Amino acid sequence: MAPTTLDLFADDEPQQQPRRDRIGEQAFVLRGFALPWLEQLLPALEGVLAAAPFRQMVTPGGLTMSAALSSCGTWGWTTDRNGYRYTRNDPQTGLPWPDMPEVFLQLAQAAAREAGFAAFVPDSCLINRYVPGAKMSLHQDKDEKSYAAPIVSVSLGLPAMFLFGGFHRSDKSQRVPLLHGDVVVWGGVDRLRYHGVLPIKDGRHSQLGEQRINFTFRTAN
Ligand code: MD3
Ligand code: FE
């Protein structure tokens, strides 16, 4: 059989190339980018959560966040009545946040590179857990020492409708559906854009169950 004919058959295979959707000048959704990493990612996540279980936190205004949080890496993002900040220790255990697993770091760096951000060195990974009904209101990520580094966000489990706004809370938001395995990278001129997550719809994910888990990699300090 001629090679050209073979090529025609080869084209019948589904293309596994992850798609890159541009949602801002320097903001990209890498569709399915995390899928090949899952086999290593999920056991590493279990290890982190054994040392620093999910817990709900209170905002400075006294409201309990609907998403439950954990962290790993040198710095963990926390909130309580005294404000938002990064801490070296988990306030619940008094111990340092768990180390960032190597596979977390490798995935975050590979995604940043794919979106055009070289040399991303995250020192913090916030892990958010959403059950159906949980949401995150529009906000900016402003607690980091510098805004020079991008942010990498990995979505797992139930789908979410992500809100990608402008530089003022009242600016119109675009809605970006995020699925299991999608990775979003924001940086540069888009780093301080408002964003949020609409309430997660009821459902059950075959691997993750009735939840959405999001990793947010940042350079905090
Ligand atoms: C857009 N978490 O924890 S990161 C957060 O799905 C948070 O749990 C989202 O927002 C979640 O703060 C995903 C999304 C994100 C992070 C930084 C951004 C979006 C951004 C910076 C600029 C623009
Ligand atoms: Fe955020």
Side-chain angles (χ1 to χ4, degrees):
M1 202 180 280
T4 47
T5 311
L6 282 172
D7 287 348
L8 287 176
F9 281 108
D11 281 351
D12 288 346
E13 294 297 323
Q15 284 296 103
Q16 289 298 86
Q17 287 290 355
R19 275 206 336 284
R20 177 166 62 183
D21 293 341
R22 192 172 187 173
I23 58 172
E25 208 174 320
Q26 292 182 277
F28 300 90
V29 184
L30 310 176
R31 299 289 178 190
F33 191 84
L35 294 177
W37 302 73
L38 282 186
E39 200 178 311
Q40 294 171 76
L41 207 59
L42 294 179
L45 171 63
E46 291 312 313
V48 168
L49 294 175
F54 283 124
R55 82 296 301 266
Q56 284 179 285
M57 291 184 182
V58 176
T59 65
L63 299 173
T64 299
M65 293 180 69
S66 60
L69 280 60
S70 182
S71 277
C72 61
T74 306
W75 298 97
W77 187 86
T78 60
T79 176
D80 60 21
R81 290 306 301 248
N82 297 318
Y84 305 124
R85 62 199 174 280
Y86 285 93
T87 64
R88 284 188 177 273
N89 294 343
D90 177 349
Q92 192 162 280
T93 62
L95 298 170
W97 291 106
D99 287 337
M100 192 183 298
E102 189 63 24
V103 59
F104 280 40
L105 180 65
Q106 293 302 322
L107 168 57
Q109 293 184 327
R113 199 174 311 122
E114 188 70 20
F117 298 96
F120 177 45
V121 185
D123 58 11
S124 175
C125 175
L126 173 65
I127 307 166
N128 290 315
R129 174 181 192 256
Y130 298 78
V131 294
K135 64 181 172 65
M136 194 166 288
S137 305
L138 272 184
H139 67 278
Q140 296 171 295
D141 288 14
K142 295 192 298 188
D143 301 318
E144 297 70 36
K145 198 163 203 169
S146 157
Y147 305 137
I151 293 177
V152 171
S153 153
V154 178
S155 291
L156 301 177
L158 287 177
M161 192 58 82
F162 184 73
L163 297 174
F164 191 48
F167 297 97
H168 303 277
R169 188 184 300 278
S170 58
D171 291 347
K172 188 177 164 59
S173 293
Q174 45 175 317
R175 290 176 174 213
V176 181
L178 294 180
L179 301 178
H180 179 65
D182 288 349
V183 178
V184 195
V185 184
W186 295 267
V189 297
D190 291 318
R191 174 63 180 76
L192 284 175
R193 286 176 71 160
Y194 275 86
H195 57 277
V197 179
L198 289 181
I200 300 297
K201 291 186 178 168
D202 279 324
R204 189 180 180 285
H205 185 268
S206 58
Q207 278 179 276
L208 277 287
E210 294 179 4
Q211 60 179 343
R212 169 177 186 260
I213 291 180
N214 178 270
F215 302 101
T216 303
F217 293 94
R218 307 187 183 100
T219 305
N221 278 295

